[in-house]
């Protein structure tokens, strides 16, 4: 009986001990909750945010320092108004009118004495391209100078015989012969003068060297001669082109022909030239089909030519046949993530340098106290100036959800799903870099609103 009572007491003690432990744990837990009343709310908020995440994505923000911003080659801008729907697509080539290209050849054979230009060189009209040498040049000049001298004598004789004929001193026959010789020599001199002008030879003295000059201002595209080679008549020795009058020839098919008219604007891009958009205007629509293609040539002048344009370049163009314009951005400005589309906008106030100056701290005694860590804080030197660390710049970008529409020539129609400032700076180039930085830093630097 005594043993049973002892066991019963032990069981009661164990139960009481466990109850005390549970009561102490409950007391600690209650105090923790009461000391942080927002903890429960924070948990509930996170839970609600996770539930809402399936319906609307969180607004994300990315911060780049100055080095990252420069390394990424980010370009900022705003919306462009583009006509992306009421257009006719057409392919074609850049073309140069015949009056803006020239083959330089000779009218008389000669030996190439010098070549003064190379391919690709810019030349002005009348600039010497090469010099040729031939004894025929000197003979032609000699004939001109002789004819000029004879003409002066015949002119004086003609005037003298005319006076005698008017006074009936000599016969009319003598005067007519003198007049005939004078007219023949005058015609001969005029012919020699034109020949020397065409050959660009001097009319003052005889020389065996002729200068070959450029007929227009432009670029030398071909050099088909060598030193001491024989320049043949009619064979092109140089080719010079003037690309300032370059235009575009587009092929429009029969089904779209009624939409195209003179005066309409065109746009095209050079895919290998940073997608630079070039504009033009239709100035002529052909009245016949091109070969068997059932397409008509549409000629358009280029309004903003660039140096990268050369004849024969393939272009994919849009002809604006309507006036409806929409907000558009370069295709590279829109990124896709989690089945949605986004752009990045530079937040206001984050494009200015973030000031981190640390000046020397003043004390009541009026003295500045130096610090050991000069690299991180302002410090004094013997010159009495307080030196501060350079200012750093931080760039904050906010990811904004958008909806895209029609896409043409590297631009896409963009509709905002939330309001942004009218003068907001949108990332036109480098959006994918910012997105990759966001994915890398979501657990650290990136943060949500």
């Amino acid at each position: 009986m005594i043993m049973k009572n002892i066991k019963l007491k032990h069981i009661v003690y164990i139960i009481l001990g466990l109850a005390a432990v549970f009561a102490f744990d409950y007391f600690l837990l209650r105090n923790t909750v009461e000391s942080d009343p927002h903890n429960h709310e924070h948990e509930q908020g996170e839970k609600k945010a996770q539930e809402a995440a399936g319906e609307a994505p969180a607004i994300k923000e990315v911060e780049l320092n100055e080095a990252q911003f420069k390394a990424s080659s980010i370009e900022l801008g705003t919306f462009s108004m583009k006509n992306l729907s009421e257009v006719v697509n057409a392919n074609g080539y850049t073309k140069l009118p015949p009056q803006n290209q020239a083959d330089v050849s000779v009218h008389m054979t000669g030996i190439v004495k010098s070549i003064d230009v190379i391919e690709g060189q810019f030349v002005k009209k009348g600039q010497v391209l090469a010099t040729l040498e031939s004894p025929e040049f000197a003979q032609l000049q000699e004939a001109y100078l002789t004819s000029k001298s004879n003409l002066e004598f015949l002119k004086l004789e003609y005037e003298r015989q005319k006076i005698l004929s008017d006074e009936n001193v000599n016969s009319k026959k003598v005067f007519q012969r003198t007049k005939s010789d004078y007219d023949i020599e005058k015609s001969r001199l005029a012919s020699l003068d034109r020949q020397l002008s065409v050959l660009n030879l001097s009319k003052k003295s005889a020389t065996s060297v002729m200068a070959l000059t450029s007929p227009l201002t432009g670029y030398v595209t071909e050099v088909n001669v060598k030193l001491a080679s024989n320049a043949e008549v009619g064979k092109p020795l140089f080719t010079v082109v003037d690309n300032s009058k370059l235009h575009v020839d587009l092929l429009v098919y029969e089904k779209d022909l009624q939409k195209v008219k003179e005066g309409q604007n065109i746009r095209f891009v050079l895919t290998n030239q940073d997608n630079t958009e070039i504009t033009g205007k239709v100035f002529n629509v052909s009245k016949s089909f091109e070969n068997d293609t059932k397409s008509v040539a549409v000629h358009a002048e280029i309004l903003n030519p660039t140096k990268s344009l050369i004849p024969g370049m393939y272009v994919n163009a849009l002809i604006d046949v309507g006036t409806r314009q929409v907000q558009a951005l370069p295709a590279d400005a829109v990124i896709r993530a989690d089945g949605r589309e986004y752009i990045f906008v530079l937040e206001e106030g984050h494009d200015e340098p973030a000031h981190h100056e640390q000046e020397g701290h003043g004390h009541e005694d009026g003295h500045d106290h130096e610090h050991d860590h000069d690299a991180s804080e302002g410090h004094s030197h013997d010159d009495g100036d307080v030196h501060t660390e350079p200012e750093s710049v931080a760039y904050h970008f906010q990811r904004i959800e958008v909806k895209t529409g029609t896409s043409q020539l590297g631009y896409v129609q963009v509709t905002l799903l939330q309001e942004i400032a009218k003068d907001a700076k949108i990332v036109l180039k480098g959006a994918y870099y910012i997105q990759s930085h966001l994915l890398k830093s979501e657990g650290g630097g990136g943060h949500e609103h």
Side-chain angles (χ1 to χ4, degrees), residues 212-403:
L212 199 61
T213 59
S214 175
L216 50 81
T217 298
Y219 291 88
V220 178
T221 59
E222 292 183 25
V223 178
N224 300 319
V225 291
K226 299 177 182 178
L227 284 177
S229 62
N230 183 40
E232 300 178 10
V233 176
K235 180 181 178 181
L237 307 181
F238 298 90
T239 300
V240 182
V241 298
D242 175 16
N243 290 338
S244 64
K245 299 300 182 181
L246 204 65
H247 70 265
V248 178
D249 277 6
L250 303 175
L251 295 179
V252 175
Y253 289 98
E254 186 177 1
K255 63 182 181 65
D256 296 321
L257 187 58
Q258 72 277 6
K259 302 176 185 177
V260 181
K261 299 178 178 61
E262 293 183 16
Q264 291 175 334
N265 295 323
I266 72 160
R267 291 172 285 135
F268 64 94
V269 296
L270 303 176
T271 54
N272 296 325
Q273 305 288 338
D274 295 331
N275 287 327
T276 302
E277 184 174 284
I278 300 173
T279 59
K281 190 178 291 290
V282 176
F283 68 84
N284 181 267
V285 179
S286 180
K287 305 304 179 185
S288 62
F289 289 112
E290 295 289 317
N291 301 326
D292 298 326
T293 61
K294 283 297 179 180
S295 61
V296 174
V298 174
H299 309 283
E301 62 176 327
I302 299 173
L303 300 180
N304 59 333
T306 65
K307 291 184 178 180
S308 56
L309 283 176
I310 59 175
M313 296 183 75
Y314 176 81
V315 298
N316 181 18
L318 298 178
I319 304 174
D320 292 337
V321 296
T323 58
R324 180 175 171 268
Q325 292 187 324
V326 296
Q327 288 188 141
L329 290 174
D332 291 340
V334 181
I335 59 127
R336 289 164 178 80
D338 303 325
R340 300 175 188 267
E341 297 170 313
Y342 303 94
I343 62 173
F344 284 98
V345 177
L346 182 66
E347 289 191 337
E348 293 184 6
H350 292 292
D351 55 344
E352 298 296 330
H355 297 279
H356 296 291
E357 281 190 2
Q358 298 182 4
E359 299 178 354
H361 301 284
H363 294 268
E364 294 180 357
D365 57 3
H367 298 286
D368 288 335
H369 293 263
E370 296 183 358
H371 296 267
D372 294 334
H373 303 288
D374 292 340
S376 62
E377 296 183 359
H379 50 281
S380 300
H381 291 273
D382 293 338
D383 56 7
D385 296 329
V386 177
H387 293 258
T388 60
E389 69 172 359
E391 297 176 347
S392 60
V393 180
Y395 298 88
H396 289 246
F397 297 94
Q398 191 178 89
R399 195 175 73 173
I400 306 295
E401 187 178 4
V402 298
K403 204 75 175 175

Side-chain angles (χ1 to χ4, degrees), residues 11-173:
I11 292 172
V12 171
Y13 290 151
I14 292 172
I15 293 173
L16 291 174
L18 291 173
V21 171
F22 286 130
F24 182 71
D25 289 341
Y26 177 76
F27 175 75
L28 290 177
L29 181 61
R30 184 181 180 84
N31 286 345
T32 302
V33 173
E34 290 178 352
S35 63
D36 188 9
H38 300 290
N39 187 50
H40 181 67
E41 295 178 4
H42 180 68
E43 291 178 357
Q44 292 295 328
E46 285 188 345
K47 187 174 181 180
K48 289 181 180 179
Q50 290 174 357
E51 291 176 355
E55 300 176 359
I59 298 175
K60 295 182 181 291
E61 183 182 297
V62 181
E63 178 180 325
L64 300 181
N65 59 37
E66 188 173 10
Q68 291 170 330
F69 182 82
K70 290 181 178 179
S72 61
S73 299
I74 292 174
E75 291 183 8
L76 301 174
T78 185
F79 288 104
S80 298
M81 299 306 294
K82 300 285 184 182
N83 178 11
L84 300 180
S85 57
E86 298 176 344
V87 296
V88 170
N89 282 280
N91 299 323
Y93 296 89
T94 55
K95 190 174 181 180
L96 196 62
Q99 59 267 32
N100 289 93
Q101 47 189 327
D103 286 331
V104 183
S105 58
V106 293
H107 302 279
M108 294 181 66
T109 59
I111 304 299
V112 178
K113 184 178 181 181
S114 69
I115 302 174
D116 300 336
V117 296
I118 59 174
E119 290 184 357
Q121 183 175 334
F122 177 79
V123 294
K124 293 184 177 181
K125 183 177 181 179
Q127 182 174 332
V128 176
L129 306 178
T131 57
L132 305 180
E133 189 174 27
S134 173
E136 294 182 7
F137 304 151
Q139 294 174 4
L140 192 60
Q141 289 170 312
E142 181 183 358
Y144 172 81
L145 294 173
T146 302
S147 176
K148 185 178 181 182
S149 179
N150 288 338
L151 186 63
E152 292 176 359
F153 169 76
L154 291 175
K155 182 179 179 181
L156 294 175
E157 181 65 17
Y158 165 75
E159 293 174 349
R160 188 174 69 86
Q161 290 297 332
K162 186 175 185 304
I163 294 173
L164 294 176
S165 176
D166 292 340
E167 295 177 355
N168 294 320
V169 174
N170 61 350
S171 64
K172 297 289 185 181
K173 184 177 181 181

